[in-house]
Structures are given as C-alpha cells and as structure tokens.
Amino acid sequence: ELEKITRRFTVELAKKGFIGPGIDVPAPDMGTGEREMSWISDTYANSLGHFDINARACVTGKPIPQGGIHGRTSATGRGVFHGIQNFIAEASYMSMVGLTPGFGDKTFIVQGFGNV
C-alpha cells in the first residue's frame, strides 16, 4: 500500500510540475529511504519523465544500482561534522561565542530530528 501511495503521489507532483531534475529534487528523510526514492525515481522516469535523459535525477538517495551515489547515507552527518570542525577552528567565530579555538576542553550536544 505504501508503494502504491508513493507512486501516485509522484504522478501528482509530476503533473503539477513540482518534481523533476531541474525543478525540485526530493531527498529521503524521516520514515523514507532508498526504497521510497527508488519508487519515486522509477515512477517519474516511466511516466512524465520518459523523454528526459536525466529523469532518474528527479530524486536523490536512490540505491547505488539505480543511480545512487556512494556516501549519500552519511553525507548529512559528515556535513554537520565538517561545519562544526570549521567553526571551532576559526578564532574569529569562537571569539564571538566567548570560547577559544579547538576541540580541547569543550563539550557540546547536537540535537535535531532527521537522518543526521
């Protein structure tokens, strides 16, 4: 049933011009993953996107055999890490929050809701 709903939702998005490689590219989040992205990609490519050579690029987060990329699953978390790392290494940013550069003697919490 979830597959049927996902595929129908994709058709409706495509008919209204809300999804496509150059329009909007959904990504997996809470409660979705490679399976759902694969259904969306397949549905789009075999319906409104059937003349578009880039139709499979209508979503990200697909399985590797269906055009996905290695490292996609961990990309968001890796981005958070590098963002924090760059912030902590920059003296001017750290002085704005009253701290010294570097990870030493620091404790912090990253809180969120999603796939990070």
Side-chain angles (χ1 to χ4, degrees), residues 38-95:
S38 176
W39 294 338
I40 294 171
S41 173
D42 178 64
T43 303
Y44 180 82
N46 290 307
S47 59
L48 275 78
H50 70 279
F51 287 124
D52 187 351
I53 193 169
N54 297 312
R56 297 276 178 196
C58 69
V59 294
T60 186
K62 298 175 295 292
I64 303 297
Q66 295 177 1
I69 59 171
H70 292 282
R72 169 66 182 87
T73 305
S74 60
T76 307
R78 213 171 31 256
V80 169
F81 168 75
H82 287 295
I84 291 169
Q85 185 179 42
N86 288 330
F87 184 88
I88 287 179
E90 179 60 48
S92 62
Y93 297 152
M94 294 302 282
S95 68

